[in-house]
Amino acid sequence: MRYFNLTHRTSDWTVPAFMERVSTVPVGEGVTDLSERYPHLRDRGPELSEYATLFAIRRLLQESWPDGTAPEDEPMVGISHYRRYAVTEPVGKPSFVYGLVTAEEFEQLPNQLFVPPPKTILMPAPFDLGMPVVTQYGVAHVTRDLLHFMGIAVDLGVVDGRAVSHFLGQNVMIAAPTTGVFPAEWLVLVLEALESVVDAFEATVAVPHEGYQRRALGFCCERLHSLLTASLVARWPEDKLIATRPVVVSEEETYTDGG
């Protein structure tokens, strides 16, 4: 199984050796800069967040499959972020929806904690926002972006309008749905669909934002990705699913976004 570690900077801790460190910006030794292969994704992180590198990984996987489908002996693919990792059992100090561990503690975690049994999905556990998804988005971001983004997804046939209505009105979502181990073909199709929505959004209704809100497309992708992941989980065997609190590497006492 290929297991990627998305990053945009050097880290102060050692990542498990089986994880391929990748980026879409120059980082340095030990990190493959995929923007050299896919230059149109270079420096798109400020708008797309981790999805810039994920869209590059999608291409990398497809190009490695001779007949366009995942090999039978490698049906799953793993994804972790710079400091955020899905784990098979909760560890670390609980904070928000994560378990916090220091860099020293992270390096002591066993490799098997990041790898589920064969053909098993590993993902962050869904969590209750305490308010509808659309309301929470409006508190933190610009609501019109999410509504346009979801509307385009419906128009493109990525998702059903009723599913969007239900999702935006409920209190539950999956934070960091990109983190975990998922069926490789499914992940490729989802990332392809997300990129098609991003392209249509940018070509039609995008408006510029400054600062933190510049990452609007990344925020919107996370919500749609959460919806699509929930649809996958709903039809996946329960005994082949592990959903737990992810780990975040941090020296802070409480979780803070960014970095």
Side-chain angles (χ1 to χ4, degrees), residues 97-119:
V97 297
Y98 302 109
L100 303 186
V101 297
T102 65
E104 183 178 359
E105 291 170 336
F106 177 79
E107 291 181 341
Q108 301 303 313
L109 296 178
N111 286 347
Q112 59 265 32
L113 196 67
F114 306 101
V115 182
K119 298 184 180 180

Side-chain angles (χ1 to χ4, degrees), residues 110-129:
N111 286 347
Q112 59 265 32
L113 196 67
F114 306 101
V115 182
K119 298 184 180 180
T120 298
I121 290 176
L122 171 63
M123 57 175 277
F127 74 103
D128 193 325
L129 295 164

Side-chain angles (χ1 to χ4, degrees), residues 150 152-164 224 227-228 231:
M150 289 296 190
I152 291 171
V154 172
D155 289 345
L156 293 178
V158 171
V159 68
D160 179 79
R162 289 169 296 182
V164 169
L224 180 54
L227 169 55
L228 296 173
S231 299

Side-chain angles (χ1 to χ4, degrees), residues 198-215:
V198 166
D199 290 343
F201 182 96
E202 289 189 311
T204 56
V205 298
V207 295
H209 296 303
E210 298 296 327
Y212 186 57
Q213 300 305 331
R214 188 180 173 189
R215 292 165 54 190

Side-chain angles (χ1 to χ4, degrees), residues 125-139:
F127 74 103
D128 193 325
L129 295 164
M131 63 184 77
V133 171
V134 67
T135 303
Q136 187 275 336
Y137 192 91
V139 170

Side-chain angles (χ1 to χ4, degrees), residues 163-244:
V164 169
S165 298
H166 177 74
F167 174 73
L168 294 179
Q170 69 180 17
N171 290 13
V172 177
M173 68 170 282
I174 302 165
T178 56
T179 305
V181 175
F182 301 96
E185 283 191 68
W186 174 86
L187 182 63
V188 162
L189 290 174
V190 164
L191 292 175
E192 195 167 34
L194 289 174
E195 191 169 2
S196 72
V197 180
V198 166
D199 290 343
F201 182 96
E202 289 189 311
T204 56
V205 298
V207 295
H209 296 303
E210 298 296 327
Y212 186 57
Q213 300 305 331
R214 188 180 173 189
R215 292 165 54 190
L217 279 170
F219 302 140
C220 289
C221 278
E222 182 181 21
R223 271 61 179 189
L224 180 54
H225 198 164
S226 176
L227 169 55
L228 296 173
T229 302
S231 299
L232 169 68
V233 169
R235 60 180 188 272
W236 201 259
E238 289 187 16
D239 62 344
K240 292 291 185 180
L241 173 66
I242 300 174
T244 64

